[in-house]
Amino acid sequence: MKKILEELNRTDRIAVTGHERPDGDCVGSVMALYLYLKKMLPEAVVDAYLEKPSLVFDCIDGIEELKTDCPEDICYDVCIVIDTSADRIGAAKKYFDTARKTINIDHHITNADGCGTVNYIKPDASSASELVYELLEEKDLDASIAKAIYIGIAHDTGVFQYSNTTPHTMEVAAKLIGYGFDFPRIIDQTFYEKTYWQTQILGRALLESIRFMDGRCVVSMVDRKTMAFYQVTPQDLDGIVSQLRSIKGVECAIFLYELEQQTYKVSMRSNGKVDVAKVAAYFGGGGHVRAAGCTMRGTYYDCINNLSLHIARQLKEAKA
Ligand code: AMP
Ligand code: MN
Ligand code: MN
């Protein structure tokens, strides 16, 4: 794919969007591209659509301009989908379906072919934000754009810690902090800081976690009643699964929360031996080798049994 401005040559109406329940990478990459396009194409109409992000991302400039619903039927010249395939963009799908040209920028291995007429898919990239950086002209960046990209990269790499962090990721991050924003503070604010209730439910989920397969798997679940008791939303549960993954001896961590009766959002994290993207893809989800998710129906025990079957098979193969 060419640089994004070349792809958008003389375009009037551009929509930028990402996945439902947007995480840091999704918010960072969508906002970075939105800010860049507004700056570089002042004559064009540029709209960014996302479900309302967590309030911690209020530190990203221009976030108040995000459109959090899609009431109008607008026919865009170009619709850019970032950090996902078009099947997870929610209400903005109608803009994707009617756009003259579609561009997909993603790093999910389960979206290897891309869903756009033009695709920039690199499963080895740390984050969609790193890919957005590669498509912009460096000379046109500023502190606001750099900050949004940096937040995205930091979130998807667990602050430059996960195995998706490459020398290139670090080089990009080094260039970004050169734009001069308070990077230690925004990482604290958006990644580490938790409210009292978020910390309480994390504690509860850890306390109720169960190890199985000789301690190589761990699972925990939060139901709607518990979420209501602690007055938390799904966004408040971020980070629970990575905490479970850190348990010594664990190869695969599973965290579920109840969406509605007998429907669970599943998050999985692996320490390398289990390809959780494969497990998630089997149940209609997707993600990366070490971090993936899906939505499952059935009782909690049905879900665990079904997931375990696939995880056990992979662990057995890894041993053989
Ligand atoms: P999560 O466990 O929700 O933090 O997601 C881990 C990774 O898997 C992220 O990169 C997500 O974008 C991806 N993912 C989660 N759920 C799904 C799904 N239903 N379909 C495709 N990818 C998913
Ligand atoms: Mn994401
Ligand atoms: Mn991502």
Side-chain angles (χ1 to χ4, degrees):
M1 177 174 165
K2 295 180 252 177
K3 291 276 185 188
I4 196 78
L5 286 183
E6 290 172 60
E7 288 290 350
L8 295 177
N9 194 21
R10 281 198 293 277
T11 302
D12 295 326
R13 288 172 167 268
I14 305 158
V16 185
T17 189
H19 58 78
E20 297 165 310
R21 291 190 288 269
D23 52 17
D25 181 34
C26 184
V27 181
S29 55
V30 166
M31 285 308 300
L33 190 56
Y34 169 72
L35 292 170
Y36 179 81
L37 295 179
K38 271 208 335 178
K39 176 177 172 177
M40 302 308 292
L41 304 170
E43 307 292 312
V45 174
V46 185
D47 293 322
Y49 293 93
L50 276 186
E51 252 177 46
K52 187 162 172 44
S54 158
L55 294 177
V56 299
F57 298 115
D58 280 1
C59 59
I60 296 177
D61 300 314
I63 194 103
E64 68 285 352
E65 294 166 28
L66 260 182
K67 294 183 186 295
T68 51
D69 45 21
C70 311
E72 288 175 89
D73 287 328
I74 304 169
C75 203
Y76 288 96
D77 297 314
V78 179
C79 178
I80 307 172
V81 173
I82 314 180
D83 197 34
T84 180
S85 158
D87 57 357
R88 269 207 305 152
I89 59 177
K93 180 74 162 45
K94 63 179 179 187
Y95 302 136
F96 178 86
D97 290 339
T98 54
R100 276 201 298 119
K101 175 173 178 172
T102 52
I103 299 178
N104 189 199
I105 303 168
D106 193 13
H107 68 128
H108 288 88
I109 196 157
T110 43
N111 182 28
D113 296 334
C115 65
T117 45
V118 176
N119 297 296
Y120 192 56
I121 314 287
K122 283 193 175 181
D124 293 336
S126 69
S127 52
S129 301
E130 185 177 313
L131 296 179
V132 164
Y133 172 84
E134 288 168 12
L135 297 174
L136 312 182
E137 291 290 351
E138 213 182 302
K139 65 175 175 33
D140 300 319
L141 260 63
D142 56 38
S144 297
I145 299 166
K147 183 164 80 175
I149 299 173
Y150 188 85
I151 289 175
I153 297 177
H155 276 249
D156 254 21
T157 58
V159 192
F160 309 101
Q161 189 211 334
Y162 303 154
S163 61
N164 58 356
T165 311
T166 63
H168 177 65
T169 311
M170 296 304 237
E171 281 157 18
V172 172
K175 283 190 186 138
L176 293 172
I177 62 173
Y179 285 89
F181 51 88
D182 191 346
F183 65 90
R185 183 148 167 263
I186 58 167
I187 295 307
D188 232 358
Q189 273 180 353
T190 67
F191 194 83
Y192 291 113
E193 201 175 273
K194 284 188 184 293
T195 64
Y196 178 69
W197 294 112
Q198 286 167 344
T199 311
Q200 288 272 302
I201 201 151
L202 165 68
R204 169 97 178 234
L206 298 179
L207 205 60
E208 291 184 353
S209 67
I210 292 172
R211 287 190 299 173
F212 58 106
M213 289 187 207
D214 297 327
R216 287 176 303 163
C217 277
V218 64
V219 63
S220 191
M221 187 271 284
V222 169
D223 59 19
R224 282 178 303 168
K225 216 172 98 197
T226 310
M227 287 172 70
F229 177 79
Y230 290 100
Q231 298 172 45
V232 295
T233 64
Q235 282 173 343
D236 296 314
L237 308 173
D238 278 358
I240 293 178
V241 70
S242 38
Q243 193 66 49
L244 292 169
R245 185 196 61 98
S246 306
I247 297 170
K248 196 170 164 64
V250 163
E251 284 298 338
C252 184
I254 311 168
F255 176 69
L256 301 87
Y257 66 83
E258 194 184 18
L259 289 169
E260 54 193 78
Q261 202 185 0
Q262 302 234 337
T263 308
Y264 295 90
K265 167 72 177 75
V266 180
S267 285
M268 287 178 283
R269 297 293 182 271
S270 157
N271 279 319
K273 287 207 180 104
V274 179
D275 178 347
V276 286
K278 246 189 208 164
V279 181
Y282 190 84
F283 296 104
H288 313 280
V289 174
R290 288 177 182 240
C294 56
T295 300
M296 289 177 82
R297 291 191 59 82
T299 67
Y300 172 49
Y301 296 99
D302 286 342
C303 296
I304 297 306
N305 284 336
N306 287 327
L307 292 165
S308 304
L309 216 68
H310 290 264
I311 294 165
R313 197 173 295 155
Q314 284 200 33
L315 281 173
K316 209 167 149 195
E317 277 167 18
K319 237 186 190 170

